[in-house]
Amino acid sequence: MITAKFYDIQGFSVHDGPGIRLTCFMKGCPLRCAWCHSPESQAFPTELNFMEVKCVGVEACGRCLDACPNGAIAKGAAKTSPKGEEITLISVDRDKCTDCGACADACYAKALYMCGTDWTVDDLLERILRERPFFESSGGGVTFSGGEVLSQPEFLLEILKRCKNENIHTAVDTTGFAPWSVIEPILPYTDLFLYDLKNIDSDLHKAGTGVPNELILENARKIADAGGKMMIRIPTMPGYNDSVEAFDKLGAFIKSLGNAVETVQLLPYHTLGKVKWERLGRAAPPFETEAPSDELMNARKTQLEGFGLNVIIH
Ligand code: SF4
Ligand code: SF4
């Protein structure tokens, strides 16, 4: 039986394709974006997270210290609780942690929790079909996101086929970084690709994500040539990809994809995901910058509209 690991299933999404959508976030990604807003999506296995704000302190609880078979949990920093009491938090030694989940099971406060749940195709389809009334009333459907869903092609192809069999609108949110042999089979079952273009310059793309962009651009063209439909998504980050020159090159490339591109969505950089790095016990994201101003976003929108593109700001 095919399974895939998902880190979130989110109902009532309105930005991941048309109408009201169920967005299914798969774990695992071959890219390592230096600004990643969802670091819990990067690794394929289930991982331990610690949400400090929920911990009631080892004085009142401390159950996780006893639960860990590897001695990975110790007393950590002191903190003043919301009630004004001095409490001692825990710290997790990530080198000793095997992500076994025993501490999360013991933590009634849900300060410790595991991120990543296995789904079978049958179970996920059943979950998707529960949303059918919302899909039908809004023209929505299901969006498979990540992580990188093309990294688990067997599961993706099967769930897409089953959704189309149920007449559900399907969207695939992707970095485009996968062999064409993975993308071609899903084309007949994918109504819309949400296709990321993070940087038009391949060296800068590699510096920011760990991989060059030639394959990504080539796949976008092949999808367009094969009749696929796309919403191009551009995370817009001051100092990385926001220059006039970069957007001129982007506009020309997107325009060359013709009618395949229905919309271009500009995603302004934000730092809301930073806390997720802390929950995983990781250092801050390697790339941080300021949020783009409304003026900048509007200027880049206007610039792309000059290529005849339909552009929206997320
Ligand atoms: S997940 Fe397992 S190994 Fe890691 S800290 Fe918790 S109990 Fe210890
Ligand atoms: S079990 Fe949870 S609430 Fe209790 S000390 Fe550990 S992390 Fe804090």
Side-chain angles (χ1 to χ4, degrees):
M1 191 182 303
I2 321 169
T3 63
K5 216 175 274 298
F6 288 79
Y7 67 92
D8 200 7
I9 308 282
Q10 210 171 78
F12 294 98
S13 299
V14 291
H15 298 294
D16 297 327
I20 296 173
R21 310 195 67 81
L22 185 77
T23 304
C24 307
F25 294 93
M26 204 183 264
K27 245 176 111 41
C29 183
L31 274 63
R32 285 293 175 270
C33 299
W35 55 85
C36 183
H37 297 146
S38 306
E40 73 275 35
S41 74
Q42 292 183 339
F44 286 83
T46 299
E47 293 171 289
L48 177 67
N49 283 247
F50 175 49
M51 202 187 295
E52 189 182 298
V53 72
K54 286 193 175 178
C55 177
V56 298
V58 297
E59 296 85 353
C61 173
R63 294 172 60 177
C64 54
L65 279 86
D66 298 329
C68 179
N70 300 321
I73 301 185
K75 288 183 182 178
K79 192 186 155 188
T80 306
S81 77
K83 290 181 185 165
E85 296 160 348
E86 283 298 306
I87 61 170
T88 308
L89 296 174
I90 59 147
S91 69
V92 181
D93 184 337
R94 299 281 167 169
D95 290 333
K96 290 184 183 171
C97 175
T98 57
D99 293 306
C100 74
C103 59
D105 289 342
C107 179
Y108 71 92
K110 305 282 180 223
L112 288 160
Y113 63 94
M114 303 307 292
C115 184
T117 305
D118 287 318
W119 287 78
T120 64
V121 171
D122 284 349
D123 288 346
L124 188 58
L125 183 67
E126 191 188 320
R127 174 69 187 86
I128 292 165
L129 292 179
R130 271 195 255 154
E131 309 286 314
R132 196 197 281 279
F134 303 109
F135 299 161
E136 288 179 351
S137 64
S138 68
V142 61
T143 299
F144 298 102
S145 183
E148 176 47 69
V149 289
L150 300 178
S151 293
Q152 296 176 70
E154 207 186 340
F155 185 98
L156 181 66
L157 179 59
E158 188 59 25
I159 191 72
L160 284 169
K161 279 184 181 172
R162 299 279 294 276
C163 288
K164 287 320 297 172
N165 206 29
E166 295 285 348
N167 211 19
I168 303 281
H169 182 278
T170 57
V172 168
D173 180 11
T174 178
T175 65
F177 189 74
W180 180 244
S181 59
V182 164
I183 298 173
E184 193 172 24
I186 68 167
L187 278 168
Y189 312 103
T190 304
D191 294 310
L192 181 68
F193 286 88
L194 310 181
Y195 205 92
D196 285 5
L197 291 182
K198 300 172 198 292
N199 204 309
I200 197 71
D201 179 283
S202 190
D203 289 340
L204 286 172
H205 194 282
K206 185 165 185 185
T209 69
V211 304
N213 71 6
E214 284 82 2
L215 178 64
I216 293 165
L217 300 183
E218 187 186 316
N219 282 336
R221 188 162 308 287
K222 283 181 174 172
I223 290 172
D225 290 347
K229 293 296 175 195
M230 283 183 272
M231 172 196 278
I232 300 286
R233 293 176 132 182
I234 305 170
T236 308
M237 290 165 280
Y240 177 64
N241 65 355
D242 64 323
S243 70
V244 172
E245 295 74 22
F247 268 72
D248 268 342
K249 287 182 190 165
L250 265 174
F253 176 75
I254 298 168
K255 178 76 182 165
S256 76
L257 300 176
N259 293 335
V261 179
E262 296 182 338
T263 326
V264 179
Q265 192 180 46
L266 299 182
L267 310 168
Y269 170 84
H270 62 78
T271 55
L272 297 178
K274 196 174 167 184
V275 67
K276 297 180 180 178
W277 289 71
E278 291 164 13
R279 288 179 196 165
L280 287 160
R282 296 195 203 152
F287 179 83
E288 292 187 84
T289 184
E290 76 272 20
S293 65
D294 289 348
E295 291 74 26
L296 175 70
M297 294 306 296
N298 286 325
R300 294 298 167 266
K301 177 175 184 282
T302 305
Q303 194 181 340
L304 290 184
E305 285 170 342
F307 288 87
L309 301 168
N310 175 28
V311 187
I312 51 175
I313 299 174
H314 179 68

